[in-house]
Amino acid sequence: MPRGNKPPSQRQLRVGEELRHAIANVIERGEFRDPDLQGRPITITEVRVGPDLRNATVFVVPLGGGDVAPILAGLKRAKAFLRHEISRSVQLRAVPDLWFQSDATFDEASRIEALLRSPEVRRDIEAPVPEEFPSDADDGE
């Protein structure tokens, strides 16, 4: 039975949060030798762990915006180092394989906010609602 529609289990969420903290600590220490990662502030927004805890997708965004492609390439090259550091700080039977992806939730939130502030939507929100049912006070009795 496919788990595609099931929400993540408590264990998946807990392991994902532990991995997020461990990866963020390694990035904060700045021990990377990769030129695409040195001195670059990176935010780890979320880590989603698969049901078998063998794969983890790490969502990243550069702090303050900017091009995420070189950061993703650098993290991919530093995957073995990150897994080694995670194994030292998180107690797991096996450290999951890490996959890095750009987090688009901030861009999506900005797009929705811009839509809500647009004149067309503001006009619809502030328009008076037509009264479908007259109130009892209008009966004239």
Side-chain angles (χ1 to χ4, degrees), residues 116-129:
L116 290 174
R117 293 181 190 272
S118 71
E120 296 83 14
V121 174
R122 185 173 294 285
R123 180 191 65 220
D124 291 343
I125 291 173
E126 294 173 354
V129 178

Side-chain angles (χ1 to χ4, degrees), residues 72-133:
L72 291 174
L75 287 170
K76 186 176 180 181
R77 288 188 297 268
K79 183 191 301 193
F81 172 74
L82 282 170
R83 290 186 72 209
H84 174 71
E85 292 296 314
I86 290 170
S87 71
R88 293 172 50 183
S89 62
V90 179
Q91 288 288 0
L92 290 172
R93 205 174 277 167
V95 176
D97 193 17
L98 302 175
W99 301 92
F100 299 98
Q101 188 172 340
S102 175
D103 190 355
T105 55
F106 294 112
D107 296 335
E108 185 68 16
S110 297
R111 187 184 70 78
I112 290 171
E113 186 175 337
L115 280 173
L116 290 174
R117 293 181 190 272
S118 71
E120 296 83 14
V121 174
R122 185 173 294 285
R123 180 191 65 220
D124 291 343
I125 291 173
E126 294 173 354
V129 178
E131 196 171 319
E132 293 182 23
F133 301 104

